[in-house]
Amino acid sequence: MDPVAEERAAEERTVEPLTEYVQRVSRRVRAFDRRHPLTWDLHLTGFWVTAALIDYSGGWLNVTRNPDTPGWLVLTMSLGFSVPLLWRRTHPQAVLLTIAPVALVNAWTGTALQASLLQLLVIFHIALRRPPRTLWWAGALVLTAAAVTATRHPKGSPDQDIVPMLMSIVVAAAIGITVRTRRAYTEALEDRARRLETERDQQARLAAAAERARIAREMHDIIGHNLSVITGLADGGRYAAGKSPERATQALTAISTTSRQALTELRRLLDVLRDDEGEPAPELTPQPALTDLDHLIDGVRSAGLPVRTTVHGTPTLPPGRQLTVYRVIQEALTNTLKHAGPGATARIEISHEEKAAVTVTVTDTGRGGETDATGNGRGLPGMRERTALYGGTLEAGPRPHPEQGWRVHLHLPEESPQ
């Protein structure tokens, strides 16, 4: 590989995990803030109070313009700048008005405490939570203290005190407006996603209702008509059986023909409902059963997925339940082939119980990524529908940590007596 490409790939491998880490920490901090806002505010205010008290212990003398300021006044102003920050998010304007007298005293005496910069944090929250016009008087209030310092205790030209503070106010306000815009944009996207999801669910329900109505009409036409014909032929054959056996035989032949026609039409209807692209038209063959599992598994193995099968008990399932078990295993193995990735293996465990009860567990060692469990595909909903026909349960999802891969668990209870 080219050295430049290797270096770029190394940088991407280095930067991306760090970005993900920062985002993950940021999400956790925001989540903690939403759950415990007062605890977060107390901790943050405590941090600024501690910083202000550390500055009071002697650091303020390095930047002050009046080292003769009494210690009690320095302590009072340090607390006056930091303690009100506890309410900076709920009442930022009131906090700024509370700090303003302290800032004026700080400017008038020439103490020039660095804690006065905490006013910029309040400016940020005003820009974040209050109307933009509020920034005008808030910025003017902060600049007033800077102007007093430049007038009473000049250090060079006045713009050396006023311009840096003005730029700091602009930056703090710009950051607040940026965060506010970002939040509004994110909330708009989330609202749009919720509305689209609701609309999608409504469309899906409407489509399902329309499809059910169409199928019901088709089934009514096919079954109702043919059963009516069969009923009439059966009644006629019963009456003719004693007097004209030949006519009874003709009626039975007609019943057989009509039944086959109804079965053909029903199969044709089900074929139309299967609209998978590229899938060949199904032949009129018996539905698969548990005896066909070996052929299914051999095909999966030939596709490159090692499969181990364990069967407990003696199979006693009727054809309908066998079809359900077969389709669930088929869909689970199909999802493993699609999503598990290279090197994955699968295991099937079937436990037969009394009265046609059965438990099936299909696991794999793949990546455990999203499959039809997201609800976007038709595999898992179809499996659940088949399971519900027999009062069973179906669970599908990642295997519990630390195991890797996907797990599908099917249980069909005992067959209820008719």
Side-chain angles (χ1 to χ4, degrees):
M1 181 183 293
D2 181 59
V4 176
E6 290 182 351
E7 183 178 356
R8 184 177 302 170
E11 290 178 355
E12 292 177 354
R13 289 194 298 269
T14 303
V15 173
E16 186 63 22
L18 178 60
T19 303
E20 294 178 355
Y21 174 77
V22 171
Q23 292 177 349
R24 184 167 62 254
V25 172
S26 177
R27 287 193 297 269
R28 290 179 179 177
V29 170
R30 289 197 299 269
F32 179 84
D33 187 13
R34 287 192 296 269
R35 294 194 302 269
H36 311 285
L38 180 59
T39 303
W40 177 256
D41 287 341
L42 286 172
H43 278 79
L44 194 59
T45 304
F47 170 80
W48 292 119
V49 171
T50 303
L53 293 178
I54 291 175
D55 186 57
Y56 158 75
S57 65
W60 68 280
L61 293 172
N62 298 324
V63 295
T64 186
R65 300 181 186 181
N66 180 17
D68 297 327
T69 305
W72 65 267
L73 183 57
V74 175
L75 176 60
T76 302
M77 289 189 295
S78 297
L79 295 177
F81 280 123
S82 56
V83 172
L85 294 179
L86 179 61
W87 298 274
R88 71 196 182 282
R89 293 198 291 185
T90 55
H91 304 88
Q93 295 163 279
V95 170
L96 187 61
L97 292 174
T98 302
I99 294 177
V102 181
L104 290 176
V105 173
N106 179 57
W108 186 266
T109 59
T111 309
L113 291 177
Q114 297 182 79
S116 63
L117 296 176
L118 293 176
Q119 296 176 98
L120 299 177
L121 184 59
V122 185
I123 293 292
F124 165 82
H125 282 282
I126 290 177
L128 182 63
R129 294 179 168 82
R130 293 296 181 264
R133 63 178 180 273
T134 309
L135 287 171
W136 292 105
W137 69 261
L141 192 61
V142 176
L143 277 178
T144 300
V148 171
T149 301
T151 303
R152 283 188 52 82
H153 304 278
K155 187 177 181 181
S157 60
D159 58 10
Q160 291 181 356
D161 290 314
I162 298 177
V163 173
M165 180 56 70
L166 177 60
M167 296 301 297
S168 300
I169 293 173
V170 171
V171 170
I175 295 175
I177 293 173
T178 301
V179 174
R180 181 175 187 165
T181 304
R182 178 71 177 178
R183 286 185 179 178
Y185 178 71
T186 303
E187 290 174 358
L189 289 179
E190 291 175 350
D191 180 69
R192 181 183 179 187
R194 285 192 295 268
R195 288 188 283 106
L196 289 176
E197 184 177 357
T198 302
E199 183 179 353
R200 183 199 64 189
D201 293 341
Q202 291 175 347
Q203 290 178 349
R205 287 193 292 269
L206 291 174
E211 186 67 10
R212 284 195 296 269
R214 188 179 74 85
I215 294 174
R217 288 194 298 269
E218 295 288 343
M219 297 289 282
H220 176 271
D221 292 342
I222 294 173
I223 297 177
H225 171 75
N226 288 285
L227 284 182
S228 297
V229 173
I230 291 172
T231 301
L233 291 172
D235 290 341
R238 179 165 58 87
Y239 290 129
K243 300 180 180 179
S244 178
E246 294 181 359
R247 297 190 61 181
T249 302
Q250 293 175 356
L252 291 175
T253 302
I255 289 175
S256 176
T257 302
T258 304
S259 300
R260 286 188 174 89
Q261 290 176 353
L263 182 59
T264 300
E265 293 182 17
L266 283 175
R267 284 174 172 168
R268 186 178 296 112
L269 171 62
L270 296 178
D271 291 345
V272 171
L273 295 178
R274 298 182 60 184
D275 57 355
D276 295 320
E277 296 183 1
E279 186 171 331
E283 298 179 357
L284 301 180
T285 57
Q287 294 284 8
L290 293 182
T291 53
D292 300 305
L293 273 180
D294 291 339
H295 179 71
L296 171 67
I297 294 172
D298 289 340
V300 173
R301 286 171 178 161
S302 64
L305 176 65
V307 182
R308 289 191 303 164
T309 305
T310 304
V311 180
H312 304 283
T314 303
T316 58
L317 300 178
R321 293 190 170 218
Q322 291 190 42
L323 177 60
T324 298
V325 171
Y326 180 93
R327 293 303 188 196
V328 168
I329 294 175
Q330 182 184 46
E331 183 64 25
L333 294 178
T334 301
N335 285 336
T336 299
L337 285 171
K338 289 181 179 179
H339 305 284
T345 61
R347 179 172 182 176
I348 303 171
E349 185 173 357
I350 306 175
S351 298
H352 294 282
E353 303 167 12
E354 296 181 354
K355 297 183 180 180
V358 63
T359 300
V360 179
T361 302
V362 183
T363 57
D364 63 60
T365 59
R367 293 191 297 260
E370 294 181 355
T371 61
D372 283 338
T374 59
N376 296 327
R378 289 170 291 179
L380 185 58
M383 293 159 64
R384 294 193 187 281
E385 291 172 0
R386 291 181 182 276
T387 303
L389 289 175
Y390 301 97
T393 58
L394 182 73
E395 301 173 1
R399 301 173 67 184
H401 186 77
E403 296 178 330
Q404 184 179 7
W406 199 261
R407 174 179 178 269
V408 175
H409 181 77
L410 166 71
H411 176 70
L412 299 182
E414 296 181 356
E415 191 172 16
S416 58
Q418 300 297 329

